[in-house]
């Protein structure tokens, strides 16, 4: 049910969006994470993105698994329903929620342990099914909540705070998402709000699974020298392929980048992404080339960020399932129950 | 010549076949023919975990009196599988019959002196008539049905009508099948007249009953009960629940105007994902279910706990079988009672329903969605392979059009707007069930953050021990409310006062009905009660207290139901006598009757000696 939002009276000075909401209306409970935790910056970017998009806060459902990262949905969008589910299984819970009501915006928040270790299977399957969602992996290379063990994204050879060396190869969720057919794949850094906010806005507008791997340093267990998930390392090795600007469907399209370096991409819902290419030869519609490029840069010790791949015409799971336009959770006996006369007919076929 | 068993409308025919040989549909045709003649049948598949090549059996009990349980024993064996020949021949009752393919001569050692041989040269007839090997195989099955019909006096007109209905969409096959049927029928009429003294005589004992498998009925029940989301992972014997739901949805739930589906079915990557999807959908206000069996129940444990503590409706059909994965996937058992009643970690306890036949599989399936939403908790429909995968003769399915779905306590935007206090875990009216809001209800009111238990009545984060205790105590009280709405047990008292009671549940029902009638005929009286739900209604405790000894009949090794009773009701275990049948075949009336009679006679003798 869409409820008519009434703009509230506001203190002077607090900026409001098109719906009359202030940024504060998109905030949540006070965070209990460590001061300086990358995850909090991501929450704040999400608040900013939803505020700027003028999304009715209650039209968002936030789902997560278990971990410090998965706690964060409590700390943004306090007027949205949230679900802190079980470790590694956010994708399935979100898929079910999405099947029940296709009208909401689904934010899935997870960690690298949650997505790449225990939940790798569910990550893969929600991507290949094409669930319409924003999938944010807050990637710190460790299990924060259980105090610093390596996760499956930890680099080979990286050192834990306790001194252990990781000997296993890392899983790169971005490459994996590309292979699995994700239609929107991005990587960013919790410390780079300028890049992250437009990426989140574009992801929300995208139809289909929008995967964003956000490197998000854990100040407790993985911010020491030598960690590739530390603030210093990412700042020094960040290789952004493009800069993104997001235009909602209704906005007038203006081009203020250098002609020739700007690419405008229209998404399903009519919104337009303006991409300022930082690397002239980078084509974000070529899946195979993207995979190759990522591997090359990784070998050179760089962390590639930006919108890495986009199929703007992607379909989602509901299209595949041919589900009714009206949300299933709103249907009652009238739409769902075939009635007694039909049952009499059916009985006859079993004699 | 051996003695010859004589019976009309009261005998057992068993077909021994090779899996994948196309025998299943021919055998089912045989059962339906007898039903159409007004004679009740109970049919059971005994099949391997294999697609092609291994032995499979189909047992048809013909019972003019209408006993639908498995009887045990075989009066007429249709032996079509050389691999199992010796065992099959050995299982025939003395004076019984052996119908076999006599094309190749068999040495006398392959037969029994006390069994009547009925040889029909099936392969020879086939090879004479058909060129194509596949046709030879398929029509051979129909030819033996023709032979059987002539032996047992089944009306050929009935068979022709059924074949006409079966191949309505492919009429060219009707004549071919009728021809094959006649080949067998005529051969017996010509060469083997009077060879068999087992007969079918027209009767009127079937009435308007239908012949349906429990999984099919449960899938249909989910459609009637308003389920819109089904997430599942294939596992025998539960797969056909999801398949039936799919079939019935395609037939009944496609919007005629838009061609769009009013349902969403996902074959998940595993059972963990399947139950995760169900819980996500239930959280978001859709009626959702999964169907699985023991190994799947094991994988879903963590999520069951989440749904219990976070109070999310979910329906789980557990079609029970023997464990583990390489256990007895194609054999029946009632052995997941513990695994479901206390599923998950922490202090949990769940609602279980025990349908007795396909008719109740339908109605309990539909009811389960009302219970799950009313109680905001997972509800397990505890079926088994015997009910789920065998066609049972059952009362026609019925539906009351005046019935509305009970969506439980959901607070609307209007109520929130009016200022009604909302606490997600607040018991406002004493039934221990709180109100919930669905995501997307109101822009500024009624949202909450769902997590396991670390929160207070208003869903605010809390790790206070007192908040935890307050919450889990309410969850216990909620199960007291459950008792008042779940199906009550069914009690039937003996004609005479008796110190003996019998408790049973689920697919044991037809065998129990028969055993009780026979025991009564022998002058042994017992009061019986069929348990239909857990947590147990108070009537169950009253029944136990009213008897000195209570038999508990179940199909598992560990007396799981009896132990659940002892655990929940603090009864003295000495009150109970467990009758356990767990070899993977459905329990029989003969087993129950003999076991009870033996125990009671033993007790009577003891008393006499004292
Ligand atoms: C089934 C299960 N196993 C283990 C745990 C313990 N556990 C909680 S959080 C976590 C790791 C979280 O790591 P990550 O997803 O990277 O989140 P972070 O805390 O680093 O943000 C583990 C192993 C659990 N909650 N559930
Ligand atoms: S332990 Fe690490 S991930 Fe967890 S809150 Fe602290 S900084 Fe963040
Ligand atoms: Mg982590």
């Amino acid at each position: 049910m869409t409820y008519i939002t009434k703009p509230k009276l506001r203190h002077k000075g607090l900026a409001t969006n098109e719906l009359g909401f202030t940024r504060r209306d998109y905030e949540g409970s006070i965070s209990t994470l460590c001061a300086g935790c990358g995850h909090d910056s991501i929450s704040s970017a999400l608040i900013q993105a939803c505020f700027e998009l003028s999304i009715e806060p209650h039209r968002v459902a936030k789902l997560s698994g278990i971990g410090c990262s998965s706690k964060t949905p409590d700390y943004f969008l306090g007027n949205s329903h949230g679900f802190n589910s079980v470790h590694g299984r956010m994708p399935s819970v979100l898929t079910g929620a999405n099947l029940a009501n296709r009208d909401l915006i689904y934010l899935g928040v997870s960690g690298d342990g949650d997505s790449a270790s225990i939940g790798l299977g569910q990550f893969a399957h929600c991507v290949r099914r094409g669930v319409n969602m924003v999938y944010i992996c807050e990637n710190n290379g460790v299990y924060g909540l259980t105090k610093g063990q390596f996760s499956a994204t930890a680099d080979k050879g990286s050192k834990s705070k306790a001194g252990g060396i990781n000997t296993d190869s890392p899983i790169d969720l971005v490459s994996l998402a590309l292979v699995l057919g994700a239609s929107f794949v991005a990587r960013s850094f919790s410390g780079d709000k300028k890049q992250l906010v437009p990426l989140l806005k574009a992801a929300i507008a995208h139809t289909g699974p929008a995967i964003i791997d956000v490197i998000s340093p854990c100040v407790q267990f993985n911010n020491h020298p030598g960690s590739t998930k530390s603030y210093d390392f990412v700042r020094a090795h960040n290789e952004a392929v493009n800069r993104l600007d997001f235009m909602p469907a209704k906005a007038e399209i203006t081009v203020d980048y250098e002609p020739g370096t700007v690419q405008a991409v229209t998404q399903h819902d009519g919104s337009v992404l303006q991409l300022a290419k930082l690397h002239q030869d980078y084509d974000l519609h070529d899946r195979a080339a993207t995979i190759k490029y990522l591997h090359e840069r990784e070998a050179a010790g760089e962390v590639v960020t930006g919108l890495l791949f986009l199929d703007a015409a992607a379909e989602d799971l509901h299209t595949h399932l041919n589900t009714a336009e009206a949300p299933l959770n709103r249907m009652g006996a009238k739409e769902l129950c075939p009635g007694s006369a039909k049952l009499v007919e059916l009985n006859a076929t079993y004699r | 010549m051996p003695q010859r068993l004589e019976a009309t409308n009261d005998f057992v025919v068993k077909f021994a076949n090779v899996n994948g040989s196309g025998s299943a549909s021919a055998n089912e045709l045989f059962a339906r023919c007898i039903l159409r003649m007004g004679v009740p049948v109970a049919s059971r598949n005994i099949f391997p975990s294999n697609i092609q090549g291994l032995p499979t059996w189909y047992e048809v009990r013909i019972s003019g009196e209408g006993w639908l349980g498995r009887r045990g024993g075989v009066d007429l064996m249709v032996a079509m599988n050389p691999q199992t020949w010796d065992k099959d021949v050995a299982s025939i009752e003395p004076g019984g019959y052996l119908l076999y393919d006599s094309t190749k001569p068999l040495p006398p050692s392959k037969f029994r002196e006390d069994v009547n041989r009925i040889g029909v040269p099936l392969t020879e007839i086939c090879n004479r008539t058909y060129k194509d090997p596949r046709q030879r195989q398929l029509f051979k099955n129909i030819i033996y049905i023709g032979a059987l019909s002539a032996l047992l006096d089944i009306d050929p007109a009935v068979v022709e009508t059924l074949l006409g209905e079966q191949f309505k969409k492919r009429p060219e096959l009707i004549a071919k099948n009728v021809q094959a049927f006649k080949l067998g029928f005529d051969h017996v009429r010509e060469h083997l007249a009077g060879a068999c003294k087992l007969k079918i005589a027209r009767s009127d004992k079937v009435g308007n009953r239908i012949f349906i498998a429990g999984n099919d009925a449960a899938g249909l029940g989910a459609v009637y009960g308003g389920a819109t989301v089904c997430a599942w992972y294939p596992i025998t014997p539960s797969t056909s629940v999801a398949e039936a739901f799919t079939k019935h949805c395609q037939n009944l739930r496609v919007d005629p105007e838009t061609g769009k589906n009013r349902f969403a079915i996902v074959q998940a990557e595993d059972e963990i994902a399947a139950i995760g999807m169900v819980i996500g959908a239930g959280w978001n206000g859709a009626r959702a279910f999964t169907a699985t069996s023991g190994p799947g129940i094991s994988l879903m444990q963590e999520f069951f706990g989440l749904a219990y503590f976070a109070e999310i409706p979910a329906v789980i059909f557990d079609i029970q079988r023997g464990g583990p994965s390489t256990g007895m996937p194609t054999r029946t058992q009632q052995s997941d009672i513990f695994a479901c009643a206390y599923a998950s970690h922490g202090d949990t306890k769940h609602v279980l329903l025990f349908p007795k036949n396909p008719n109740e599989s339908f109605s309990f399936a539909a009811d389960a969605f009302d219970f799950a939403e009313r109680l905001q908790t997972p509800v397990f429909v505890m079926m088994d392979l015997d009910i789920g995968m065998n066609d049972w003769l059952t009362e026609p399915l019925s539906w009351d059009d005046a019935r509305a779905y009970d969506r439980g306590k959901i607070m609307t935007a209007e109520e929130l707007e009016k200022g009604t206090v909302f606490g997600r875990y607040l018991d406002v009216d004493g039934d221990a069930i709180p109100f919930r809001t669905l995501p997307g209800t109101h822009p500024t009111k009624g949202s909450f953050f769902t997590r396991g238990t670390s929160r207070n009545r208003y869903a605010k984060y809390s790790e206070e021990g007192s908040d935890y205790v307050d919450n889990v105590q309410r969850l216990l009280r909620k199960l007291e409310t459950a008792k008042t709405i779940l199906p009550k047990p069914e009690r039937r008292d003996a004609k005479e006062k008796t110190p003996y009671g019998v408790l049973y549940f689920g697919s044991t029902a037809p065998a129990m009905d028969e055993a009780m009638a026979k025991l009564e005929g022998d002058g042994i009286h017992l009061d019986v009660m069929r348990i239909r739900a857990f947590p147990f209604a108070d009537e169950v405790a009253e029944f136990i207290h009213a008897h000195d000894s209570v038999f508990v009949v179940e199909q598992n090794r560990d007396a799981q139901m009896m132990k659940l009773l002892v655990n929940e009701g603090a009864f003295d275990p000495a009150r109970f006598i467990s009758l356990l049948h767990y070899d993977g075949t459905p329990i029989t009336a003969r087993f129950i009757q003999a076991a009870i009679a033996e125990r009671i006679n033993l007790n009577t003798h003891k008393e006499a000696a004292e």
Side-chain angles (χ1 to χ4, degrees):
Chain A
M1 184 178 351
T2 317
Y3 202 78
I4 315 289
T5 328
K6 294 183 204 110
K8 300 179 211 162
L9 284 177
R10 288 291 162 203
H11 299 294
K12 279 204 188 102
L14 274 185
T16 56
N17 64 14
E18 276 173 41
L19 295 177
F21 288 112
T22 68
R23 198 179 174 284
R24 200 163 281 167
D25 293 309
Y26 295 87
E27 289 172 356
S29 312
I30 311 268
S31 170
T32 60
L33 302 185
C34 308
C37 174
H39 300 347
D40 277 335
S41 310
I42 302 172
S43 298
S44 146
L46 270 162
I47 291 169
Q48 190 65 26
C50 291
F51 168 71
E52 287 179 14
L53 282 174
S54 292
I55 290 170
E56 293 176 283
H58 69 303
R59 305 306 301 167
V60 178
K62 314 163 290 184
L63 295 100
S64 60
I66 300 287
C68 295
S69 37
S70 290
K71 281 181 164 195
T72 63
D74 197 17
Y75 314 142
F76 60 85
L77 299 189
N79 285 317
S80 311
H81 278 65
F83 194 164
N84 197 175
S85 67
V86 294
H87 196 19
R89 319 295 176 196
M90 171 277 286
S92 64
V93 180
L94 188 147
T95 301
N98 188 315
L99 291 175
N101 183 358
R102 61 189 298 177
D103 275 359
L104 301 184
I105 293 164
Y106 291 91
L107 295 183
V109 177
S110 179
D112 43 311
D114 204 57
S115 285
S117 300
I118 192 169
L120 188 63
Q122 295 217 340
F123 169 81
H125 288 278
C126 83
V127 172
R128 62 176 271 269
R129 273 187 198 106
V131 179
N132 190 12
M133 69 184 291
V134 178
Y135 192 127
I136 301 156
C137 178
E138 306 189 344
N139 187 353
N140 53 17
V142 288
Y143 293 177
L145 196 57
T146 52
K147 305 203 167 168
Q149 300 83 1
F150 291 118
S151 83
T153 66
D155 295 286
K156 197 167 184 165
S158 66
K159 218 181 184 176
S160 76
K161 198 181 175 189
I165 303 284
N166 176 41
T167 54
D168 299 342
S169 299
I171 291 174
D172 177 23
L173 291 174
V174 160
S175 306
L176 199 56
L178 284 165
V179 172
L180 292 163
S183 44
F184 182 116
V185 183
R187 177 151 43 216
S188 189
F189 172 47
S190 62
D192 187 353
K193 227 177 181 179
K194 263 205 185 120
Q195 186 189 47
L196 186 53
V197 172
L199 271 179
L200 288 169
K201 286 159 75 178
I204 290 171
H206 180 72
T207 301
I211 310 297
I212 311 183
D213 180 32
V214 189
I215 296 166
S216 175
C218 169
V219 291
Q220 289 292 356
F221 302 110
N222 204 9
N223 196 35
H224 46 83
S227 161
T228 60
K229 304 281 192 294
S230 66
Y231 282 111
D232 288 345
F233 183 90
V234 184
R235 289 213 172 100
H237 299 82
N238 186 354
E239 186 63 16
V241 288
N242 47 35
R243 221 170 42 237
L244 188 66
D245 208 3
F246 176 82
M247 307 283 152
K250 340 173 218 294
E252 187 192 340
I253 295 166
T254 52
V255 180
D256 53 9
Y257 291 116
E258 290 280 304
T261 68
V262 174
Q263 192 183 346
V265 186
T266 309
Q267 295 210 97
H268 241 190
D269 66 343
S271 61
V272 178
L273 312 183
Q274 290 195 351
L275 276 164
K277 286 193 174 193
L278 301 180
H279 287 257
Q280 281 312 310
D281 52 350
Y282 190 77
D283 177 1
L284 86 166
H285 301 299
D286 185 337
R287 200 181 282 275
T290 300
I291 295 171
K292 184 162 170 277
Y293 181 79
L294 285 174
H295 287 177
E296 284 167 7
R297 300 327 304 158
E298 191 199 304
E302 288 171 1
V303 184
V304 180
T305 62
L307 179 55
L308 306 174
F309 177 80
L310 178 69
D311 172 2
E315 290 174 343
D316 83 327
L317 178 60
H318 280 287
T319 313
H320 302 156
L321 294 177
N322 191 32
T323 342
E325 293 300 330
L328 295 173
N329 72 348
R330 244 178 266 161
M331 296 181 182
K334 192 164 101 7
E335 293 90 354
L336 302 176
C337 185
S340 64
K342 197 80 206 174
L343 200 50
V344 170
E345 275 175 42
L346 286 166
N347 278 326
T349 64
Y350 291 100
R351 288 192 177 107
Chain B
M1 186 141 123
Q3 162 224 348
R4 292 201 286 175
L5 282 181
E6 270 185 57
T8 300
N9 294 355
D10 184 16
F11 52 93
V12 173
V13 180
K14 189 166 177 175
F15 298 83
N17 299 99
V18 178
N19 211 12
S21 64
S23 55
S25 58
N27 297 348
E28 193 190 315
L29 175 72
F30 171 76
R32 285 188 186 276
C33 289
I34 297 170
L35 284 174
R36 286 287 174 100
M37 290 185 67
V39 182
V41 301
S43 72
R44 285 179 172 84
N45 280 297
I46 302 144
F47 61 100
S49 181
N50 162 268
I51 303 303
Q52 200 175 41
L54 285 188
T56 155
W57 293 269
Y58 185 68
E59 201 177 273
V60 182
R61 176 179 188 187
I62 293 121
S63 170
E65 286 179 89
W67 300 125
L68 300 179
R70 201 170 154 246
R71 189 200 70 178
V74 184
D75 302 317
L76 167 55
M77 175 66 75
V78 183
M80 293 297 140
N81 186 356
Q83 274 175 286
T84 58
W85 174 277
D86 293 339
K87 201 173 139 206
D88 293 335
V89 171
S91 69
I92 303 169
E93 301 278 316
Y97 304 86
L98 170 69
L99 176 63
Y100 68 103
D101 182 355
S102 60
T103 306
K104 274 194 206 141
L106 286 164
S109 63
K110 284 279 168 198
F111 296 95
R112 262 170 59 188
E113 285 299 323
D114 59 345
V115 165
N116 301 285
R117 306 175 199 177
I118 307 175
V120 179
L122 294 168
T123 306
E124 192 194 307
I125 300 175
C126 266
N127 292 356
R128 207 192 308 138
T129 322
Y130 307 102
K131 291 279 157 302
D132 172 24
R134 182 70 195 150
Q135 282 201 344
R136 283 180 180 169
Q137 173 68 60
L138 285 178
F139 286 125
K140 187 166 152 187
N141 302 323
I142 301 293
I143 295 173
Y144 72 62
I145 300 296
L148 270 177
S149 300
L151 288 167
L152 305 176
D153 287 354
I154 292 172
D155 184 351
V158 167
V159 185
E160 285 182 39
T161 312
L162 271 168
L163 285 171
E165 289 171 19
Q166 189 179 336
F167 296 110
K168 205 158 64 190
K169 295 214 172 91
R170 301 184 61 194
E172 73 280 6
L173 290 180
I174 299 175
K176 283 195 176 158
N177 277 281
V178 171
Q179 182 205 7
F181 174 82
K182 287 250 165 70
L183 287 170
F185 191 87
D186 294 344
H187 180 91
V188 167
R189 278 284 156 94
E190 240 172 78
H191 305 284
L192 293 160
C196 183
K197 298 254 180 236
L198 305 175
K199 297 292 174 199
I200 302 288
R202 269 196 188 274
S203 178
D204 57 0
K205 294 280 159 41
V206 172
N208 67 346
R209 279 184 285 180
I210 61 171
F211 196 51
I212 187 172
N215 285 355
D216 195 353
L220 187 57
V223 173
Y224 272 75
T228 51
V229 175
C230 164
W232 66 293
Y233 189 78
I235 183 168
T236 307
S238 75
T239 298
S240 47
V241 176
E243 286 173 348
F245 183 71
T246 308
K247 169 183 82 176
H248 294 301
C249 276
Q250 278 159 358
N251 179 23
L252 303 164
R253 280 273 196 80
V254 179
D255 186 319
E257 272 155 39
T258 61
K260 298 255 183 192
N261 298 332
R262 291 175 180 152
F263 60 89
I265 301 166
V266 176
Q267 185 189 314
E269 59 269 32
D270 56 31
E271 285 89 346
I272 301 177
I275 190 66
M277 289 177 201
V278 168
I279 286 166
W283 175 75
N284 213 357
R287 295 193 147 190
F289 75 94
T290 188
T292 189
S293 189
I297 292 289
S298 296
L299 285 180
M300 295 177 185
Q301 295 283 316
E302 187 183 13
F303 261 126
F304 291 149
L306 175 71
Y308 171 80
F309 287 113
E311 298 180 72
I312 297 168
V315 173
I316 301 100
F317 293 92
D318 179 8
I319 318 302
Q320 298 168 88
R321 61 181 222 188
S325 297
T326 50
M328 301 210 294
T330 59
R331 304 290 193 265
T332 196
Q333 265 183 10
Q334 298 175 318
S335 49
D336 294 345
I337 317 273
F338 286 158
C340 293
Y342 302 128
S344 205
H345 50 278
D347 289 318
T348 58
K349 204 187 288 195
H350 302 286
V351 171
L352 316 180
L353 302 176
F354 301 99
K356 70 164 178 176
N357 61 16
N359 181 286
E360 264 188 6
S361 302
F362 172 83
S363 60
F364 282 15
D367 295 346
F369 293 95
D370 280 358
F371 298 147
E373 287 203 311
R374 168 57 47 188
L375 298 167
Q376 299 179 20
T377 201
V379 172
F380 294 76
V381 186
M382 305 295 288
M383 296 167 53
D384 60 28
L385 182 142
D386 189 19
I387 304 184
M389 289 190 72
N390 290 315
D391 285 330
W392 285 33
L393 194 60
T394 194
E395 291 304 314
L397 310 178
S398 65
W399 187 261
D400 176 3
D401 288 326
R403 170 176 175 169
Y405 295 152
D406 179 2
R407 307 302 307 253
K409 290 180 171 173
I410 298 177
M411 199 170 281
T412 62
E414 287 69 26
E415 283 164 303
L416 290 166
E417 189 63 25
K418 262 194 334 221
T420 314
V421 175
F422 172 67
R424 173 64 185 101
Y425 303 105
L426 192 63
D427 178 11
V428 286
D429 51 14
D431 65 3
I433 306 169
F435 272 87
R436 60 180 182 142
T437 52
L438 299 181
T441 299
H442 190 285
T444 54
K445 298 183 171 85
S447 70
F448 66 96
F449 193 65
T450 304
R451 47 161 83 80
T453 45
S454 45
R455 30 76 175 162
N456 64 18
R457 293 175 175 184
Y458 295 90
K460 291 285 171 261
Y461 191 77
S462 165
E463 294 187 21
E464 288 298 322
S466 55
D467 281 330
Y468 181 89
V469 171
D470 175 62
N471 186 58
V472 295
Q473 284 298 328
R474 180 179 54 76
L475 289 177
L476 263 189
R477 285 192 286 115
K478 192 164 85 165
L479 289 177
E480 290 300 313
T481 302
K483 286 184 189 175
T484 64
I485 62 170
L486 296 175
K488 292 279 175 208
E490 270 181 7
R491 178 172 177 162
R492 289 194 311 272
D493 281 347
K495 286 195 183 124
E496 290 175 18
K497 194 166 162 41
T498 165
Y500 294 108
V502 189
L503 287 169
Y504 69 103
F505 58 98
S507 68
T508 302
M512 183 61 71
D513 291 343
E514 183 180 358
M516 287 303 121
K518 301 235 158 109
L519 285 166
E520 188 185 283
D522 295 343
I524 297 178
H525 298 282
L526 303 103
D527 297 330
V528 291
M529 177 171 272
R530 179 166 70 90
I531 294 170
R532 299 206 297 167
F534 176 78
F536 303 118
D538 295 340
E539 287 86 340
V540 177
E542 284 162 25
F543 181 85
I544 294 167
H545 285 304
H547 297 90
D548 297 343
S549 293
V550 179
F551 291 93
V552 186
V553 184
E554 43 189 321
Q555 303 188 48
N556 60 62
R557 184 195 67 182
D558 289 342
Q560 297 188 19
M561 183 63 88
M562 187 272 270
K563 287 177 185 161
L564 193 61
L565 285 162
V566 169
N567 205 31
E568 293 288 320
F571 303 107
D572 177 3
R575 272 194 122 83
F576 296 107
I577 307 167
S578 279
L579 298 188
L580 306 170
H581 186 281
Y582 50 89
D583 67 359
T585 60
I587 195 167
T588 63
R590 284 181 181 180
F591 170 85
I592 299 170
Q593 189 189 346
I596 289 182
E598 189 192 348
R599 264 325 269 254
I600 290 184
N601 290 334
L602 209 71
N603 284 358
T604 332
H605 289 146
K606 243 197 337 215
E607 277 160 29
E610 270 165 10

